[in-house]
Amino acid sequence: MACCCAQEVVFDVNLIENSALEHGLAGWAPVGSCTALSVHEEEPAKVPTETINDVAEDYRPSGRYILASGRADEADGLRQAIKGALKPRLTYRVSGWISIGAGAAAEAECAGGGHAVHVNLRLDDECVVKGGAVWAEPGKWTEIKGAFRLKKSPCAAEVCVQGAPAGVDVKVMDLQVFATDRKARFRKLRRKTDKVRKRDVVLNFGAAASGISGASVRVMQMDSSFPFGACINPGVIQNPSFVDFFTKHFDWAVFENELKWYHTEAQQGQLNYADSDALLDFCDRYGKPVRGHCIFWAVENTVQQWVKNLDNDQLTSAVQSRLQSLLARYAGRFPHYDVNNEMLHGSYYRSRLGDDIDAFMFRETARLDPGATLFVNDYNVEGGNDPNATPEKYIEQIAALQQKGAAVGGIGLQGHVTNPVGEVICDALDKLSAATDLPVWLTELDVCESDVDLRAEDLEVVLREAYAHPAVEGVVFWGFMQGHMWRQDACLVNSDGTVNDAGERFVDLRREWTSHARGHIDSAGHFKFRGYHGTYVVQLATATGKVHKTFSVEKGDTPLVLDMNL
């Protein structure tokens, strides 16, 4: 039987019936060997009311939840059919509140006081699509923020909540699935961008006003205060098409592997900085600042074997030697450093050398190269799909480092994304900036999607969220050319040098975020415009010729008045 999937898409409408349990357990059923579902109620005051943005202001959690008990396996849980037809190529958002039982079994089974709980979509062909994950804790409600997209329309689909060890009760409140309206979101972001990235400017020609009133003025933005960058390696800088796109459209660079310890010292004592030196020379020729990625990498399978073979005293000495060698050689050359990459996902040095080693790396880096801004850097924090990398866990990690004297100066969100939802990204940015007051960079952006039209849309989602958020100070792509990227189906430029739809979308957005203005000097000797932050040149056409002058537009809430003393 063919599926009937011709229904018109209705955005922001919950596709799960009886989500708030007004009708008890109607429509809900257990998954696996879960023996009991029951409805309970908790005072809404005990449920967090800070939801992800774009939820109606009058929305409040219902306080009613399903308790799934008698669970014998992590696959056990609860399920509910999705009403209506899910559409392919459309991004759906998952939201709701998850908790786990606060009894002795939960506390005994849940390492670190919590455990991962997953929301999955099970389709008619038994295919399982991940819809989000959360780190749930006993006695605490945590909001889940996930997303999914389907390749084809299923005839039937159901949402399942699973996870947590056997014997641990799972609680679910107000679970929702709804289609996201990207166009509506973009309209809001354009208004937000105007406030965050632009400023009113008054060019005051003052004493010369009487002689030049009505004269023609042209203002052109030369560069932006918000940089975009890309990763490079020794191979791609030999490719003329890569170099052409890179030099035209990117302001910063980062080395793909050439600064990592396993590259610069593959064998103990045999230092090799030739590749990083060559890449620095290339960036110097084109005036591109470079992020230092990375001094250490916390994930065990990235650590070279000779390092693993050291005893703890030898490892301590090797860590100090690595810091001294790299930072003495390149002091002042890298404005940013990722000090110990991916500490949310790995703990090699901490497991070997104790809890203070991560902060020690920051303290020593700051001592040896005091001008550099030192970053934490990790992945999945902005996606709502990794219980090991939530904004809350990142905030806890940063606070712990700072308490031990680590000069954490910035937050790196790698941005290896699939099916991005703007509201989820913004929520992570809001939480990180509010809790830490640190600048955020997207440090390794690649948006993976085989359909290049969808890839362009996904890329626009990420870039608009980043550009509109006041905490974000830059975006660096993890490559952009087909055949020269870590993740496939993420390129902006095809292998033959042609720019695809995703690349055109990026170029168009950069053009949109560039200000130009034309007009005439008014009778008061002023020329007014509203422009993006950056460097400008003004051209004034007078009877005696054209006059040029440069100026900068910085952040500010009040109009910027600049005297043009020509």
Side-chain angles (χ1 to χ4, degrees), residues 199-206 525-527 529 534 536 538 549-554 559-565:
R199 188 175 183 183
D200 289 323
V201 181
V202 179
L203 302 183
N204 178 23
F205 293 89
H526 296 159
F527 179 76
F529 73 101
Y536 290 78
V538 56
K549 188 176 180 66
T550 59
F551 62 91
S552 294
V553 177
E554 308 292 345
L560 176 65
V561 180
L562 296 169
D563 290 329
M564 299 284 104
N565 297 315

Side-chain angles (χ1 to χ4, degrees), residues 9-87:
V9 176
V10 179
F11 294 107
D12 299 324
V13 172
N14 187 16
L15 301 180
I16 300 179
E17 293 183 333
N18 194 27
S19 173
L21 308 177
E22 299 98 328
H23 306 294
L25 288 173
W28 292 95
V31 171
S33 58
C34 178
T35 60
L37 300 183
S38 55
V39 176
H40 302 263
E41 190 160 358
E42 190 160 295
E43 290 186 28
K46 295 182 179 180
V47 184
T49 55
E50 63 275 11
T51 66
I52 61 177
N53 43 71
D54 274 16
V55 174
E57 291 183 3
D58 59 351
Y59 175 77
R60 293 293 181 270
S62 69
R64 293 182 292 273
Y65 65 90
I66 297 177
L67 178 69
S69 56
R71 300 176 57 257
D73 189 87
E74 286 195 0
D76 295 345
L78 54 102
R79 59 187 172 89
Q80 165 74 287
I82 297 287
K83 66 179 180 181
L86 296 174
K87 304 288 186 181

Side-chain angles (χ1 to χ4, degrees), residues 233-249:
N233 61 51
V236 296
I237 65 171
Q238 305 302 319
N239 184 317
S241 296
F242 183 99
V243 173
D244 180 66
F245 193 86
F246 172 77
T247 54
K248 286 181 179 178
H249 300 292

Side-chain angles (χ1 to χ4, degrees), residues 228-471:
F228 289 88
C231 81
I232 61 175
N233 61 51
V236 296
I237 65 171
Q238 305 302 319
N239 184 317
S241 296
F242 183 99
V243 173
D244 180 66
F245 193 86
F246 172 77
T247 54
K248 286 181 179 178
H249 300 292
F250 293 104
D251 314 296
W252 279 57
V254 64
F255 304 162
E256 188 169 12
N257 295 306
E258 290 69 26
L259 206 66
K260 294 169 181 171
W261 195 7
Y262 65 65
H263 187 98
T264 63
E265 196 176 3
Q267 301 297 323
Q268 187 174 12
Q270 299 179 21
L271 298 175
N272 173 23
Y273 291 110
D275 288 335
S276 50
D277 286 347
L279 291 174
L280 266 180
D281 289 343
F282 169 83
C283 292
D284 286 345
R285 288 199 302 273
Y286 290 101
K288 311 293 185 184
V290 186
R291 299 193 76 251
H293 175 79
C294 52
I295 304 175
F296 299 100
W297 198 342
V299 178
E300 183 171 357
N301 64 12
T302 69
V303 179
Q304 57 271 55
Q305 189 59 49
W306 72 261
V307 173
K308 294 179 180 179
N309 292 340
L310 302 176
D311 63 32
N312 287 353
D313 289 340
Q314 292 170 331
L315 179 58
T316 300
S317 178
V319 165
Q320 184 65 65
S321 295
R322 161 67 171 171
L323 288 163
Q324 183 65 43
S325 171
L326 180 72
L327 297 169
R329 182 181 187 88
Y330 293 121
R333 300 300 306 276
F334 294 100
H336 295 175
Y337 272 113
D338 296 327
V339 177
N340 190 12
N341 198 38
E342 298 176 0
M343 290 183 288
L344 290 173
H345 292 91
S347 58
Y348 179 78
Y349 297 98
R350 186 167 64 252
S351 297
R352 289 284 309 274
L353 302 178
D355 290 343
D356 187 58
I357 188 61
D358 296 333
F360 170 81
M361 292 171 175
F362 275 83
R363 294 195 302 267
E364 279 296 282
T365 302
R367 183 179 69 84
L368 293 167
D369 193 352
T373 302
L374 309 186
F375 278 71
V376 291
N377 192 53
D378 228 303
Y379 62 93
N380 287 351
V381 178
E382 72 292 325
N385 59 358
D386 185 347
N388 295 313
T390 64
E392 291 80 6
K393 288 194 173 185
Y394 216 9
I395 291 165
E396 290 174 6
Q397 181 185 92
I398 292 166
L401 288 167
Q402 291 173 329
Q403 287 172 3
K404 295 176 182 177
V408 181
I411 300 173
L413 300 180
Q414 291 184 8
H416 301 296
V417 300
T418 305
N419 303 340
V421 172
E423 293 87 344
V424 177
I425 295 171
C426 185
D427 179 67
L429 293 170
D430 284 347
K431 288 178 177 176
L432 291 169
S433 60
T436 69
D437 198 30
L438 291 173
V440 178
W441 280 59
L442 270 64
T443 55
E444 304 180 21
L445 178 63
D446 51 16
V447 177
C448 189
E449 168 56 55
S450 58
D451 184 320
V452 71
D453 293 332
L454 277 178
R455 189 188 314 162
E457 292 180 14
D458 288 349
L459 180 62
E460 184 172 359
V461 167
V462 181
L463 293 182
R464 284 199 183 277
E465 293 295 341
Y467 194 71
H469 202 283

